[in-house]
Structures are given as structure tokens and as C-alpha cells.
Amino acid sequence: MNWLNIWKRVWFRAETTTPLEVVRIGVAIATLILYGSIWSELPALYGNEGWVSREALSPWADNPWTQSLLFHFTTPGYLWAIYLVLLLSATALLLGWRTRWVKWLVLIAHVSMLARNPHIYYGVDGILASLLLILCLAPIGQSLSLDSVRRQRRARHQDLASLPMAMTNVWGFACLRLIQIQMAVFYFYAGVEKVQGVSWWHGSALWIALNNQEYANIPIGWMAEHVWTVNVLSYYTILIELAYPFLIWGRSTRPYLLVMAILLHVGIAVMMGLYIFSFVMIVGHLAFLRHEWLADWGRRWKSRVGPMEMIYDGNCGFCKRSLAWLLAFDGLGQISVRDYRRDPSPVVSSELVDKALYVVMPDGRNHPGFDAYRHVVLRVPGLWWLVPLFYIPVLSRTVGRRTYNWVATHRHEISACGTQTACSTDRGES
């Protein structure tokens, strides 16, 4: 029984899958950067008239384990169609929209690209494919996504005061564990491979790499004057790669190993120009973020910003629908609501709230209408994407404020038009 409990604790915990969603976002960004940067060279890299023809791949492509859509659809039109689907699906994966099936589109398109031109295959391509495969098996889209926003919006439509629920998933944790084990294995084999090389024992491996014109990304004259820095960085790399697979699992050692590994790849990106590789590896390391850390960061943010209460007109259907949409992005539950018709505010008079929505802070300060939204979007992380719309000077002051004032003035007519019957009745009376 003890072994069974240990097995469940290692693989199947009922914890939030937020770290898995962070990996999802990072993988989507890496995919967009990787393929978005080659659009001008797409026909040359993957087209039948490019560097590698379909006929030249016959021995490779005839292997039943090697599959690509581009083996069967060889015209330029199909190539661009698959490429466009890849970019759109990766964007949807980034936003967390329909993640249940768009993640498979990204994986299939990515693998199709890799198989079509194995001559440009690089290690980061395989790492990205393995991360995508695990994400396809995982129940992603439960937080930090438009899918979760849609779910929260439905709940808010039923009850505006309902708080966001932290979604836990046992299988999601198992998939997160797979990514963690994969990263540990990557580092273990990289470290073992390095200790077999004489240059790593001598501490000169980094100097050799930086003298390679393909990877030299910074001036290295200062290193020639301070050779000890080359030795330290070489040994630091070996130390991290050998220690990581064993110490990353400890509760007390994980933060240090995680920071050291991320710094290692930041250094690789800066010194060797391997930006995409370093970014993908850092994304993989983020699978080791503890959900307790993320929850603690959320609590600290809420404590720093303070609670906010939005006072609205409960008889306005449009107001309730708008608030349900807005609150769906409040994943931390920073905003509480008050219907002034059923529960008048002691801070803002009902006559004022009848003209505009208000947001009230704990110290009694309050903002009406458009300024209420400006205050909220800057303080709720899920609404940061709206910040430009509310803070671009000309757009916010001239268009935004006037639009809000018009909507607030005509909100009852808009609410009546929320149903076809009411709209038809209004038109008949007019």
C-alpha cells in the first residue's frame, strides 16, 4: 500500500495545471517565432522545387515511421496552406482557443515540416516536437486561456458574484511530470556526453565553441585576457547539467537549480546566438514551477493592488452581460460586484451609479464610467491586453470616453434589444 501511495504521489496528484499552461504558451511562442521567421524561404526549404526535391527523399520518405503531409501534397499551394494552418493553430494554442484540437494541428504540421527536410533538422526541433506531443496528451486550456475565459463567462452569466475556481487534474499533473522527466534526461545525457570530452575537462570547451564562426555572437577579446572566465563557465555548464537531473526534485534545491539552468541558457543565447534553442529549453524548465509558487505570486499581487468593488445596475441586462465578459478575465478574483438596486453602496450614491458604473477601492476612492475601466484593466493581469485601448491618449480620450458615455446613456435600449422579442416590440411601438 505504501508503494501505491508513493506511485500516486509521484505521478497522479490533484493539483492545478497552471505550470502546464505556462509551458503551452511558451511552446506556442517558440513555434510562431521558428516558423514565422522563415516565410520568405518557405519554398526553398520545403518546396518540391527547392533545396531538396521529393524524389531525393525517397529512401527517407519510404520509411513507414517517417510521415509528412508534404509527401502527399507537393504543390506550392498546399505548402502555403499547411504553413498558414501551422501559424494560425500556433496562435490559437498561444491564446488557448479550442486547445483540445488545435494542439494536434500544430504537432502534425510541425512534424510534417521536419520530415520534409531532414537536412535542416536541429536539436531544438526534436525538443519542440516532444513537448508538443506531451501537450497533445495533456488536458490543457483549463487556465490562462480563452477556453477558461469562456467557461468562467458562462458561470458569471449565472451569478456575477461567483469566484473563479482553480481547476485540478490528475492526468494533467502526470503529463507535467513527463515534461519534467524529459528535461532531466536531456540534461543528464548532455552532461555525460560533455565529461567524455577532453576540452571540457581542461575547461577550454567554451573557448573552442566561441571561436567557431557559426556560433560566435560576442567579442571574445576580453576572454583571452581573462582565461579563467572561460574555465569557470565551462565547469559551470558541466556542474549544472550533472546536478540538475538529481537536485531539481528537491523542495529546497529546486529554486536554485531552476534559476541556474535558466541563467545557463540565457548565457547560451547571448554568447552563441542560439536564441530559439535557449528559449525552448527555458520553457521546458518552467514545467518545474510549483503551483504553490504561482498561487503565492497571485496572492502577493492581490495584496499589493488591493480589492476592487464594481457597482452596477442589476436591472440592466447589457450591464450584466458586459460585466460577465469582463470578470471572466479576472482569474485571480480581484473584483467583487455590487448591484446597487438590491444592495446600495455606502460610498457612492444610487443617483450616480444610475448614470455610470463605479469602481470603489478599500480606502473609499472611486472612479466612474470609463475611468473605472481604466483603473481596472491596469491592475488585473487578465485584462492587460486592453491597456493600449484605454491608455493611448487620443484613442482613449476621444473615442473610448465618448463611446462609453453613449453606451451608458442608451444601455436600457441596448438591453431591450438583447432579445429579439423586445426589439420587435420596441420597433412596433415606434
Side-chain angles (χ1 to χ4, degrees):
M1 189 63 180
N2 290 335
W3 283 105
L4 180 60
N5 291 335
I6 293 174
W7 175 260
K8 290 181 178 179
R9 180 170 179 78
V10 170
W11 284 102
F12 302 106
R13 299 185 200 172
E15 294 186 358
T16 59
T17 57
T18 306
L20 196 64
E21 305 294 347
V22 173
V23 174
R24 182 206 88 223
I25 293 172
V27 166
I29 292 174
T31 304
L32 286 171
I33 295 175
L34 182 63
Y35 287 103
S37 61
I38 64 167
W39 67 271
S40 60
E41 301 175 348
L42 188 69
L45 293 175
Y46 301 105
N48 201 38
E49 303 299 328
W51 296 352
V52 182
S53 66
R54 172 64 179 83
E55 292 73 18
L57 288 174
S58 293
W60 164 265
D62 291 340
N63 186 336
W65 292 100
T66 304
Q67 295 294 330
S68 171
L69 293 176
L70 296 175
F71 291 161
H72 310 286
F73 305 100
T74 58
T75 61
Y78 283 116
L79 171 61
W80 283 103
I82 294 172
Y83 177 71
L84 182 61
V85 168
L86 173 58
L87 295 183
L88 292 177
S89 300
T91 302
L93 185 65
L94 169 63
L95 300 177
W97 182 77
R98 306 294 182 184
T99 51
R100 182 173 296 180
W101 55 271
V102 298
K103 57 187 179 182
W104 289 100
L105 295 180
V106 178
L107 176 63
I108 293 171
H110 176 59
V111 172
S112 294
M113 293 292 187
L114 297 186
R116 179 58 184 84
N117 192 348
H119 298 289
I120 59 173
Y121 181 90
Y122 181 49
V124 67
D125 297 314
I127 297 172
L128 194 60
S130 60
L131 291 175
L132 277 169
L133 177 60
I134 297 176
L135 289 178
C136 285
L137 301 176
I140 57 176
Q142 297 188 2
S143 63
L144 304 181
S145 66
L146 292 181
D147 289 341
S148 64
V149 167
R150 190 168 60 250
R151 185 180 62 252
Q152 294 291 342
R153 186 176 60 191
R154 286 196 296 266
R156 295 284 190 173
H157 273 305
Q158 300 296 324
D159 180 12
L160 279 179
S162 64
L163 296 176
M165 297 179 59
M167 301 293 293
T168 61
N169 193 288
V170 174
W171 177 244
F173 180 82
C175 293
L176 185 67
R177 184 68 85 196
L178 278 176
I179 295 177
Q180 294 173 347
I181 292 175
Q182 175 178 262
M183 297 305 299
V185 171
F186 284 160
Y187 260 47
F188 177 76
Y189 277 101
V192 169
E193 185 71 21
K194 285 180 175 60
V195 297
Q196 298 180 36
V198 177
S199 60
W200 286 100
W201 283 108
H202 291 169
S204 59
L206 181 63
W207 178 259
I208 296 173
L210 293 178
N211 273 278
N212 188 326
Q213 293 185 356
E214 184 178 358
Y215 298 114
N217 198 50
I218 60 172
I220 58 175
W222 64 275
M223 282 189 171
E225 299 175 0
H226 304 85
V227 181
W228 63 270
T229 59
V230 178
N231 302 141
V232 169
L233 292 175
S234 297
Y235 294 138
Y236 173 81
T237 302
I238 296 179
L239 174 64
I240 295 300
E241 291 184 345
L242 290 179
Y244 185 94
F246 304 100
L247 299 182
I248 193 65
W249 308 103
R251 180 174 293 273
S252 59
T253 55
R254 179 176 294 191
Y256 301 102
L257 267 295
L258 194 56
V259 170
M260 293 171 70
I262 291 175
L263 290 177
L264 172 64
H265 286 287
V266 170
I268 292 175
V270 173
M271 301 179 71
M272 303 182 66
L274 300 176
Y275 303 110
I276 298 296
F277 168 76
S278 298
F279 181 78
V280 171
M281 291 298 292
I282 290 174
V283 168
H285 292 312
L286 295 181
F288 283 98
L289 289 174
R290 292 189 181 277
H291 69 95
E292 297 96 337
W293 300 348
L294 299 175
D296 183 58
W297 295 340
R299 285 191 294 268
R300 290 184 182 181
W301 176 260
K302 289 177 64 177
S303 176
R304 179 179 179 181
V305 172
M308 295 169 283
E309 181 183 65
M310 299 194 81
I311 309 174
Y312 71 101
D313 181 0
N315 289 347
C316 171
F318 175 77
C319 302
K320 291 190 287 186
R321 291 192 298 272
S322 300
L323 267 182
W325 179 87
L326 181 77
L327 295 173
F329 290 91
D330 180 22
L332 296 178
Q334 297 175 246
I335 306 172
S336 60
V337 294
R338 180 193 293 264
D339 178 1
Y340 85 94
R341 294 188 181 275
R342 295 172 176 80
D343 184 16
S345 170
V347 178
V348 183
S349 67
S350 298
E351 291 76 11
L352 292 175
V353 184
D354 192 47
K355 297 178 181 179
L357 175 144
Y358 270 76
V359 63
V360 179
M361 278 68 75
D363 58 3
R365 290 180 297 122
N366 58 82
H367 299 285
F370 183 79
D371 291 326
Y373 284 102
R374 292 185 86 235
H375 181 85
V376 167
V377 299
L378 197 61
R379 290 161 177 81
V380 177
L383 294 172
W384 283 347
W385 60 279
L386 288 173
V387 166
L389 298 179
F390 284 88
Y391 282 87
I392 295 177
V394 176
L395 184 62
S396 62
R397 296 294 180 180
T398 59
V399 179
R401 192 178 299 279
R402 291 179 181 178
T403 301
Y404 177 85
N405 291 337
W406 184 90
V407 171
T409 304
H410 297 83
R411 68 182 189 275
H412 294 295
E413 291 87 340
I414 298 174
S415 297
C417 288
T419 61
Q420 184 176 0
T421 303
C423 259
S424 302
T425 302
D426 291 343
R427 290 171 183 167
E429 291 176 354
S430 61

